[in-house]
Amino acid sequence: MTYFADLAPYTYAEQESIRLPDGDVVFLPRYHRVAVGWLARDREFRHAAVPTGFVEALIRIHDGPGGHANGTRGFHCCEFCPAPDLLRDGLPHTVHGDRSLFLGSAEIRLPVLQPPRRMFAAPNLIIHYVIEHDYAPPAEFVDAVMAYDDSWAELRVGPWFPAGAHVHLRNGRLSTLTPNGVKRVREIRRKR
């Protein structure tokens, strides 16, 4: 996996593709993206306990708006675990409580709503790193997770989604985000 030092500028993908309840939004971001949790075997990282409720809050973000950004067609496994320990049905996963989370194929987006506005960009494997390897994310990321409000992901023009963003709606339509809402562009023909 690509390595970024915590709080370094995120430069992995030029455009954003964020899955929202209404559809996938694809655009060139106007906000500053900050990397968190892009670990590598040959790099040191901070180990410490996280606050009570942090893992559950991070999983809620993973499950909600912004929890599936820049999805890939393949999977990246944890570089710190032996491969058989992480795989289930051939896919990387982490168990937390009664949940089995399949990770390693997307990123998480987490906005910082107060100035200066910026967006944390983390691989979804960050959940595994925290649970299994005692990774301690930076305090400002922990604070943002604990204070998370998913209203940022409402599909409207604003600091997070620019006018002109392409919206691939769940109903099979391709639309464009405008200051007045979502404007239908055309139907997407599905192959049979």
Side-chain angles (χ1 to χ4, degrees):
M1 180 164 71
T2 299
Y3 169 80
F4 291 107
D6 280 344
L7 305 179
Y10 168 93
T11 57
Y12 187 64
E14 183 179 357
Q15 73 177 16
E16 294 276 54
S17 175
I18 299 178
R19 182 170 295 160
L20 299 177
D22 294 333
D24 295 343
V25 184
V26 180
F27 58 97
L28 290 173
R30 296 182 300 195
Y31 48 77
H32 178 67
R33 295 176 290 177
V34 179
V36 172
W38 294 84
L39 308 183
R41 183 185 328 211
D42 61 344
R43 305 290 181 119
E44 292 291 320
F45 60 89
R46 193 169 148 257
H47 298 266
V50 293
T52 301
F54 175 80
V55 171
E56 291 75 15
L58 189 57
I59 290 171
R60 276 194 301 280
I61 294 167
H62 170 268
D63 291 345
H68 188 94
N70 298 338
T72 63
R73 293 182 182 192
F75 290 91
H76 178 82
C77 291
C78 174
E79 296 178 8
F80 308 108
C81 287
D85 291 346
L86 186 61
L87 296 180
R88 180 173 149 205
D89 300 327
L91 302 174
H93 81 287
T94 292
V95 175
H96 182 70
D98 62 351
R99 298 267 324 260
S100 186
L101 302 163
F102 292 94
L103 306 172
S105 66
E107 301 171 11
I108 292 173
R109 290 295 178 271
L110 176 62
V112 177
L113 302 177
Q114 65 273 15
R117 289 182 187 237
R118 59 199 182 284
M119 183 75 77
F120 286 117
N124 64 10
L125 270 172
I126 192 171
I127 297 167
H128 171 80
Y129 298 148
V130 169
I131 293 170
E132 300 295 334
H133 303 291
D134 298 320
Y135 165 62
E140 56 223 74
F141 180 81
V142 172
D143 292 345
V145 167
M146 299 304 283
Y148 181 69
D149 173 4
D150 68 5
S151 65
W152 75 272
E154 292 175 14
L155 197 50
R156 65 179 187 276
V157 172
W160 310 116
F161 302 114
H166 293 287
V167 183
H168 301 268
L169 297 172
R170 301 271 179 261
N171 64 8
R173 294 185 172 137
L174 176 64
S175 300
T176 299
L177 191 58
T178 71
N180 298 322
V182 177
K183 177 184 172 189
R184 186 175 125 195
V185 176
R186 63 181 165 87
E187 297 283 332
I188 298 172
R189 297 195 184 266
R190 300 198 187 275
K191 293 182 180 180
R192 294 182 187 232

